[in-house]
Structure formats: structure tokens, C-alpha cells
Amino acid sequence: MGTIVLTGTVVLVLLGFGNPLYWLAAVALLHLYVRHGRGPSTTGTGTGTATKGTGTATAAGAAPTSYKAYRDRRDQQAKWERRYRRERGL
């Protein structure tokens, strides 16, 4: 989605040399995308996890909403790393 918005903005800026109203449309498009269009990031190794005890879902790599959520995520990551080392023999 970000690529489409960026491409649309570039096109509007280029068209803006003929009609400056397109520049305002490009700024409005970027503003709306930054304010409302970006959802949780889904890049990386996971698509999203629910944090225990808080009832809120966070994307992988997103900042936890509370210290408890941080501790839960940190403990889960340590558990996965121990399991990986045990299974792989590292």
C-alpha cells in the first residue's frame, strides 16, 4: 500500500507543474496516509501476536503497551531461543 501511495504522490507532484492544485492533493494524500492509512507493521518473521494479560494485539517488533507485555514478550522470545538451540544443537 505504501508503494501505491508513494507512486500516486509522485504522479500528483509531476502533474502539479501544470496545475498547482495537484500539489495540494499530493500533500493531502500523504497526510491521510500518515494519519490513517498505516496499519501495524507485518514485515519480519511474524504476522502478529496477542500479548498475554493485556488483551491487545501487537505486531511483531512493535513496542509493547505495558511493562508486563514487554516481560511476557521477552520471556516468550527467550523460550523460543532456548528451544531453537536445543533442537539445532547450537
Side-chain angles (χ1 to χ4, degrees), residues 29-85:
L29 178 66
L30 284 178
H31 174 74
L32 289 174
Y33 176 68
V34 168
R35 284 291 280 181
H36 305 287
R38 293 186 300 181
S41 175
T42 57
T43 59
T45 58
T47 57
T49 59
T51 57
K52 285 194 270 181
T54 61
T56 59
T58 59
T65 57
S66 68
Y67 185 67
K68 181 175 180 352
Y70 162 74
R71 281 194 332 246
D72 291 341
R73 177 70 180 147
R74 182 193 61 194
D75 294 344
Q76 182 67 40
Q77 184 68 32
K79 190 162 88 173
W80 289 335
E81 288 173 359
R82 285 192 300 271
R83 182 184 299 162
Y84 179 79
R85 272 190 241 117

Side-chain angles (χ1 to χ4, degrees), residues 1-10 29 33:
M1 169 114 172
T3 306
I4 294 170
V5 171
L6 187 61
T7 303
T9 303
V10 169
L29 178 66
Y33 176 68

